[in-house]
Amino acid sequence: MTKYARDEFDKVPETASRQGVHRTASTPQSRGRLWPILAVGVAALAIGLVSFLILPKLGLGGADSQASAVVSEAPLAETGTSPSAAAAPTAGPSATAGPTEAAGNEPTTEPEPVPSTTTAPGAVLDKTQPVAVYNAAGTSGLAGRVGGTVQADGWTLGQVGNWAGAPQQGSTVFYSGADQLANARALANLLGVPSVVASTEFQAPLVVVLGPGYR
């Protein structure tokens, strides 16, 4: 019992069917109305599953697949090309690669290196090879003076005299064989000669020809 006085809200019949403020007690009749709705929903779900799983296996969807096949073939009919013809251009680059491969098989000739007046650091000089010196500049005593420079540097001096061959445009060191290239470059560097040339026309392995303008 409370200590407050009873009011109009306390005057509720004890046998009333109302529970709470808004709800009424559920009756077996209201529950029975839900079963038909649930039965219809289950039947619709079963029909949907049958249509989705069984009908495609029976071939009933063939019309849709044929329609899609017609649509896919339509662009090929308009352009007048076939799949094999469309794929043919992809083989083009392999055909164009033929000249490149053929060109790669051809022998290539490398130009001879330009003679240098400097001697390679690892080159081995053989100063025992005789060095001939010829004067083609017309300056008196030039061959003897240059021959003395060659001999003073430790080289073996060969024939010294005037040039009797064709007129020369400049000074050159001639050498015979690749094994004399290092010696020829060393002599050219010693004497200030601008070029070295391989030649087998001389008896001496190293020949210095002093052309016009040499001092």
Side-chain angles (χ1 to χ4, degrees), residues 33-138:
R33 294 176 182 176
L34 296 177
W35 289 109
I37 298 175
L38 294 176
V40 172
V42 172
L45 180 60
I47 294 173
L49 291 175
V50 170
S51 301
F52 181 75
L53 299 176
I54 298 177
L55 293 181
K57 295 181 179 181
L58 297 178
L60 298 180
D64 296 337
S65 61
Q66 292 178 359
S68 61
V70 172
V71 172
S72 62
E73 292 177 358
L76 296 178
E78 293 176 0
T79 57
T81 59
S82 61
S84 59
T90 59
S94 61
T96 58
T100 304
E101 296 177 357
N105 294 330
E106 294 180 358
T108 56
T109 57
E110 297 181 358
E112 296 182 359
V114 178
S116 174
T117 57
T118 58
T119 304
V124 178
L125 301 181
D126 184 8
K127 293 187 177 182
T128 62
Q129 300 293 328
V131 180
V133 180
Y134 296 104
N135 180 8

Side-chain angles (χ1 to χ4, degrees), residues 12 16-26:
V12 180
S17 61
R18 296 182 59 187
Q19 297 181 0
V21 180
H22 300 288
R23 295 182 297 175
T24 59
S26 59

Side-chain angles (χ1 to χ4, degrees), residues 144-170:
R145 178 168 58 86
V146 173
T149 302
V150 171
Q151 193 172 15
D153 193 58
W155 296 88
T156 301
L157 186 61
Q159 185 175 2
V160 177
N162 294 326
W163 176 250
Q168 299 293 310
Q169 301 297 325

